Each structure stands twice: as C-alpha cells, then as structure tokens.
C-alpha cells in the first residue's frame, strides 16, 4: 500500500443531489447497506481514522451520498443507508431517488469499479438487502459482500452464517464474501486488496 497515502484522505463532498456528484476521473468504490450495518465504521477502519465518517446515533438520519477522496486516486462512496423503518415516506422517496441517481445519473458510472454490499452477518440478508442485491444484479454492477459485525458471533454460528451467504440465491457463485469487524479490524487488509485490484491503484 506504499503508493496509496491513507493520511491524505478527506470528505470531498456530501451530495444531496446527483448534480453534485464529482466529475473527477478516478475510480469509485460504492458502499451500500442498511442504516445500521456499519458503513461509517467500515470507512473509518479502512482509512485508519476515528471519525472521518460520522457514526450516527440515529440510523438513517443522513440522506446524502458521501464521497471520500483517498490520496487523489479513488473515491470511497458511502451511499445513504436503507431500510430504516421510522423514516417518513417522503424521506424514503428521497433516499430512493438519490441512490438510484448514483447508479443512473452518475456521469462517472463507468468508474464505479465495484459495490461493497454490507450485510450484518448475525442478522443475514434482510428483505431490503435482497432488493438491493437484485438491483445490483439487474444493473449488471460488479459487487462483493462485506459480512459485518463478525465479532458478535461464535465460531460455529459464524461459519454457518458465512456458508448461508455463499449459498444465497441472490449472491452469484464466486462473489467475494469478506468477513469484517470494525471492533477487531478483521477483514481490513482483504477489503483493501480487493479495492486495489479492481481500482487499479
């Protein structure tokens, strides 16, 4: 990782409208998942920062697409979390329009090298997760599954949960499934390896 300076990272823009998405010609790695699955924790762990991405105490509060610039060479793109039941219908509609806009109105869609689809390993894929997996498949977007909160399961439950993910009908065979824990740092290196490979950095 010598050629990627993780000290040189910043929140480039919090975009509330597709028109604000940056036009910079660099690779994008999108992070998708439900509201409290741990996307902010993943961003902070990957970038070695405690609070670059704010971990919200009220899940689903943020409806922006956050572009984190890494050393001027790639964007980690944190999509707004979905599946937050208490959100009013107009906010759900806005979430939908903004996330859909990222994939349909993004002038740099060809630079989206992969989507990291976060799934809580203890909970397994929710109905909203399945909807997102099907959306990614229908849009022919490459994706990998990041199985979060692995530290919350014992060895046996964890093995069974990972096996269930690998067999899930909406996760194509061969899709990378990367166990991750923000608490222990497990998976950080493997996720970076994948990002570097697909982004060519």
């Amino acid at each position: 990782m010598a050629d990627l300076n993780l000290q040189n990272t910043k929140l480039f823009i919090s975009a509330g409208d597709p028109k604000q998405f940056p036009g910079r010609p660099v690779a994008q790695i999108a992070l998708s998942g439900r509201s409290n699955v741990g996307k902010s924790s993943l961003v902070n762990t990957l970038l070695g920062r405690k609070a670059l991405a704010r971990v919200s105490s009220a899940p689903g509060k943020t409806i922006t697409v956050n572009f984190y610039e890494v050393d001027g060479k790639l964007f980690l793109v944190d999509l707004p979390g979905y599946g937050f039941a208490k959100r009013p219908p107009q906010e759900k509609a806005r979430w939908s329009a903004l996330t859909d806009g990222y994939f349909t109105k993004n002038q740099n869609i060809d630079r989206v090298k992969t989507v990291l689809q976060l799934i809580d390993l203890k909970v397994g894929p929710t109905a909203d997760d399945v909807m997102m997996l099907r959306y990614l498949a229908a849009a022919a977007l490459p994706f990998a599954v990041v199985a979060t909160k692995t530290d919350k399961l014992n060895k046996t439950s964890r093995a069974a949960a990972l096996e269930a993910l690998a067999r899930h009908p909406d996760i194509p065979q061969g899709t990378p499934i990367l166990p991750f824990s923000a608490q222990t740092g497990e998976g950080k290196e493997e996720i970076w390896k994948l990002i570097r490979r697909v982004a060519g950095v």
Side-chain angles (χ1 to χ4, degrees), residues 101-160:
Y102 176 72
F103 294 116
T104 58
K105 295 177 184 166
N106 183 351
Q107 57 184 320
N108 276 346
I109 189 64
D110 58 323
R111 298 191 185 277
V112 179
K113 300 303 179 186
T114 201
V115 177
L116 298 178
Q117 176 61 41
L118 277 67
I119 291 174
D120 184 325
L121 190 60
K122 193 173 181 183
V123 175
T126 64
D128 289 310
D129 291 330
V130 168
M131 204 157 67
M132 195 70 208
L133 288 165
R134 288 176 182 171
Y135 180 93
L136 294 171
L141 286 156
F143 69 91
V145 171
V146 175
T148 66
K149 308 185 184 183
T150 53
D151 54 284
K152 296 197 185 311
L153 289 92
N154 65 34
K155 208 171 169 182
T156 313
S157 307
R158 171 197 163 110

Side-chain angles (χ1 to χ4, degrees), residues 45-193:
T45 302
L46 287 176
L47 300 179
R49 305 283 277 276
K50 281 206 168 76
L52 183 65
R54 282 196 298 280
V55 179
S56 175
S57 55
K61 211 169 159 185
T62 318
I63 309 186
T64 53
V65 176
N66 296 326
F67 288 79
Y68 296 93
E69 186 184 43
V70 184
D71 202 21
K73 291 174 183 163
L74 68 95
F75 282 122
L76 287 183
V77 186
D78 185 8
L79 298 172
Y82 54 75
F84 189 58
K86 291 179 185 167
R87 187 176 279 166
Q90 65 271 28
E91 282 195 19
K92 284 185 182 173
R94 191 166 152 234
W95 173 86
S96 200
L98 193 55
T99 302
D100 193 57
Y102 176 72
F103 294 116
T104 58
K105 295 177 184 166
N106 183 351
Q107 57 184 320
N108 276 346
I109 189 64
D110 58 323
R111 298 191 185 277
V112 179
K113 300 303 179 186
T114 201
V115 177
L116 298 178
Q117 176 61 41
L118 277 67
I119 291 174
D120 184 325
L121 190 60
K122 193 173 181 183
V123 175
T126 64
D128 289 310
D129 291 330
V130 168
M131 204 157 67
M132 195 70 208
L133 288 165
R134 288 176 182 171
Y135 180 93
L136 294 171
L141 286 156
F143 69 91
V145 171
V146 175
T148 66
K149 308 185 184 183
T150 53
D151 54 284
K152 296 197 185 311
L153 289 92
N154 65 34
K155 208 171 169 182
T156 313
S157 307
R158 171 197 163 110
L162 285 170
E163 199 179 314
L165 276 182
R167 287 199 320 266
H168 195 278
D170 291 296
I171 299 174
Q173 216 172 351
T175 300
I177 296 173
L178 306 163
F180 172 74
S181 164
Q183 297 300 317
T184 65
E186 182 200 359
K188 177 180 174 178
E189 292 308 316
E190 287 72 18
I191 295 167
W192 264 122
K193 267 183 208 156

